[in-house]
Amino acid sequence: MEDQSQDVPVRKPTVLLVDDEESILNSLRRLLRSQPYEILLADSGAKALEILKERPVDLVMTDARMPNMDGATLLAQIRKLYPSTLRILLTGYADVDMMTKAINEGQLYRYLSKPWNDEELVQALRQALAHQHSESERQRLEALNREQNEQLRILNTTLEKRVASRTAELQQTADMLDLAYDELKRSYVTGTEVFSLIANLRLPKAKQTNRQIIELIRVYSRLHFLDESTDRDLTMAAALYNIGKLSWTDNMMVTPADMLHHTELDLYRAYPKQSESLLMTLDPMKDAARIILHHQERWDGSGFPDHLRGEAIPFGSRLLKLAVDFIELQRGLILERQMNSDEALVYIRKYAGKLYDPGMVEDFIKACGEYLDDVTLSDPTVQVMTTRDLTAGMILARNLNADNGMLLLNAGKVLSAPLVEKLIAFEAMEGARYSVFVKIPEEADPSVPKPMLG
């Protein structure tokens, strides 16, 4: 198609000159004849207002002293009716009252003295119109930015609804990712949400993790006053940490990590690197991609992909591992047995210094207590015991379930000696080992030593 943009004429700035002396107007018109302006003339304030009513004017330059309506009054009217029109006062009098009125009521751009210097006057008009053009362009760009942000908001809502529907719509949603990628340059948060939803659609609802990990990361970030940049990178990493798993089979997606076939382990260990590779091409996501790359490293150096040890592991990766393992332990994606939230935290505390940064574990447990109502381990009055440590009078802090999920005892149950003996016998019969979360009543015998926290 032929480009017709060159056929559209560029509008010249319009300058209105106002003076009751015809000779002054003629002098100004001759001076500005060579300038790229459309010049309009008015011999009174009333005539100037008539012209402004009929057509747009970019700049008005008026004499200060005119009969019936002086320049300051005219500029005050113009400011009220046409605020975007620039206003310049041309005066030959050292009249303080006139200048004060023009500045306060007309809010003029500047004033020039009579007789004027030709070069100074031309330069003043050029600067004024350049300023006006810059301001107009700024407003245009702000309006364009608002429009594009609104379009992005609408697109974001549309994508979330479509992607969240069901797996059968995945292909249709994928066709929209090209559009989302363009918007990603301005708002890469939209992209993280889209990709996160796609990863979740590969999993049954009970196995989905990303939203919970994002929310937990945000709670930790808020409690520890992490800066905005770190919080943003951590949020994106939480949303996309498992994007590298999209190439896995459906069965592998839901199989606990400790039960993967040995032929699948290489693919499992490659997913952080695969996730990073997918994101590194997007410049705003490079820091988040680095967090994802190392989130399966272990404090003792036994993790992957690079066997980093201790504080050589990026802070964000250490935090992401805590959040990922806490949620995935409850989803049955790490061990065959699904844990409750407190059991997952006992596991994390047990492996502090081996899998996890020991300096972060307790702060992380507090964040979990803020995030989830059912976390009791963050309560200093709650203790974790084996069945053989239990004594009569202790109160269950949360439900006790068998390994097969069967409810054994409800939270709030006061333990008796026979009940403790039954629990020990049942545990032995099942070949299990239960972690029991209890509170010890204040009136308990102080001479009885309290067990250590789990």
Side-chain angles (χ1 to χ4, degrees):
M1 180 180 293
E2 183 180 353
D3 183 7
Q4 299 179 350
S5 60
Q6 296 181 353
D7 297 333
V8 179
V10 178
R11 187 181 73 84
K12 293 182 178 180
T14 302
V15 176
L16 174 59
L17 307 173
V18 187
D19 200 300
D20 61 316
E21 297 184 31
E22 184 178 357
S23 59
I24 297 296
L25 290 177
N26 290 333
S27 296
L28 289 172
R29 179 167 54 184
R30 285 193 299 272
L31 174 61
L32 300 176
R33 185 179 299 163
S34 61
Q35 301 302 315
Y37 311 141
E38 181 178 359
I39 304 298
L40 304 176
L41 305 177
D43 58 8
S44 67
K47 179 64 176 176
L49 291 175
E50 289 179 7
I51 294 174
L52 285 161
K53 187 176 181 181
E54 294 174 356
R55 59 176 300 171
V57 172
D58 298 293
L59 182 147
V60 173
M61 184 167 66
T62 181
D63 185 28
R65 295 287 181 178
M66 295 187 297
N68 300 322
M69 184 186 299
D70 61 34
T73 302
L74 172 60
L75 294 183
Q77 286 289 313
I78 293 173
R79 177 208 168 196
K80 179 180 178 181
L81 298 172
Y82 313 101
S84 63
T85 299
L86 291 172
R87 300 168 292 280
I88 294 179
L89 187 69
L90 191 61
T91 176
Y93 299 87
D95 190 331
V96 175
D97 292 338
M98 171 68 73
M99 295 303 303
T100 301
K101 181 179 179 182
I103 292 171
N104 290 341
E105 299 182 14
Q107 291 192 359
L108 52 90
Y109 175 77
R110 67 175 296 177
Y111 70 89
L112 298 171
S113 301
K114 282 184 178 180
W116 63 80
N117 177 281
D118 288 353
E119 184 177 346
E120 180 184 0
L121 187 146
V122 170
Q123 183 66 16
L125 264 62
R126 183 178 297 123
Q127 290 175 348
L129 291 167
H131 170 79
Q132 184 188 58
H133 175 75
S134 297
E135 180 64 18
S136 175
E137 184 66 10
R138 182 188 66 81
Q139 294 176 0
R140 183 188 70 82
L141 291 174
E142 286 182 351
L144 177 62
N145 185 55
R146 287 192 296 270
E147 179 184 353
Q148 290 174 336
N149 284 340
E150 177 62 16
Q151 292 174 350
L152 180 60
R153 184 191 66 79
I154 294 171
L155 175 63
N156 192 8
T157 301
T158 302
L159 287 174
E160 287 181 355
K161 289 180 179 179
R162 292 186 179 181
V163 174
S165 60
R166 56 184 181 180
T167 306
E169 297 174 355
L170 185 59
Q171 185 57 51
Q172 178 184 356
T173 305
D175 293 337
M176 300 178 66
L177 290 181
D178 287 340
L179 294 176
Y181 182 77
D182 291 335
E183 297 298 336
L184 190 61
K185 296 176 182 177
R186 295 186 295 272
S187 179
Y188 43 85
V189 174
T190 300
T192 62
E193 293 180 1
V194 171
F195 287 125
S196 174
L197 288 172
I198 290 176
N200 271 327
L201 286 175
R202 290 292 308 281
L203 292 166
K205 188 173 183 180
K207 298 287 186 180
Q208 294 178 6
T209 59
N210 299 70
R211 177 50 54 190
Q212 291 74 25
I213 294 172
I214 290 171
E215 292 171 357
L216 180 54
I217 286 290
R218 284 174 174 163
V219 170
Y220 187 97
S221 180
R222 172 174 56 81
L223 291 177
H224 293 273
F225 305 100
L226 300 185
D227 62 79
E228 182 180 351
S229 176
T230 301
D231 178 66
R232 182 191 65 231
D233 291 336
L234 281 166
T235 300
M236 287 193 299
L240 301 176
Y241 81 96
N242 57 355
I243 196 72
K245 296 180 180 180
L246 287 179
S247 61
W248 292 7
T249 63
D250 289 343
N251 181 64
M252 188 174 172
M253 290 283 287
V254 297
T255 300
D258 73 334
M259 294 187 67
L260 289 173
H261 192 271
H262 68 89
T263 59
E264 298 171 322
L265 289 178
D266 287 343
L267 184 59
Y268 172 76
R269 294 190 182 101
Y271 91 83
K273 182 65 177 177
Q274 181 69 18
S275 298
E276 183 222 23
S277 298
L278 289 170
L279 301 177
M280 282 298 289
T281 56
L282 302 176
D283 188 73
M285 295 188 183
K286 286 184 177 178
D287 290 336
R290 182 169 178 266
I291 292 173
I292 292 171
L293 174 64
H294 295 299
H295 83 278
Q296 284 294 354
E297 305 285 0
R298 295 177 174 180
W299 186 255
D300 64 2
S302 64
F304 56 88
D306 295 330
H307 304 291
L308 299 183
R309 179 189 298 269
E311 293 188 359
I313 306 169
F315 164 79
S317 302
R318 285 177 266 152
L319 176 57
L320 182 59
K321 179 167 182 58
L322 284 165
V324 167
D325 285 9
F326 174 64
I327 299 299
E328 290 194 349
L329 282 166
Q330 297 175 70
R331 300 293 186 269
L333 294 174
I334 295 179
L335 304 176
E336 182 179 8
R337 173 175 172 266
Q338 287 186 230
M339 297 182 175
N340 62 43
S341 56
D342 277 327
E343 289 172 331
L345 291 177
V346 169
Y347 178 93
I348 287 173
R349 182 179 276 170
K350 175 181 178 181
Y351 287 101
K354 183 175 181 181
L355 305 183
Y356 312 106
D357 179 350
M360 296 178 66
V361 166
E362 296 307 318
D363 285 341
F364 179 75
I365 291 174
K366 292 177 183 177
C368 292
E370 288 276 337
Y371 170 56
L372 291 174
D373 293 335
D374 70 336
V375 168
T376 63
L377 195 60
S378 60
D379 184 344
T381 67
V382 173
Q383 301 189 29
V384 188
M385 300 185 177
T386 67
T387 55
R388 296 184 181 277
D389 293 324
L390 300 175
T391 59
M394 292 180 177
I395 304 168
L396 279 182
R398 67 175 301 147
N399 292 346
L400 177 61
N401 295 86
D403 284 349
N404 62 7
M406 180 178 68
L407 178 64
L408 299 179
L409 293 173
N410 288 315
K413 181 72 175 178
V414 180
L415 299 178
S416 63
L419 187 55
V420 171
E421 292 300 323
K422 288 182 180 180
L423 282 177
I424 293 172
F426 184 80
E427 182 183 55
M429 181 179 67
E430 292 291 310
R433 185 175 177 82
Y434 301 138
S435 294
V436 187
F437 297 82
V438 297
K439 288 189 175 183
I440 301 177
E442 294 181 1
E443 63 272 15
D445 184 357
S447 65
V448 177
K450 295 184 178 180
M452 297 293 288
L453 286 177

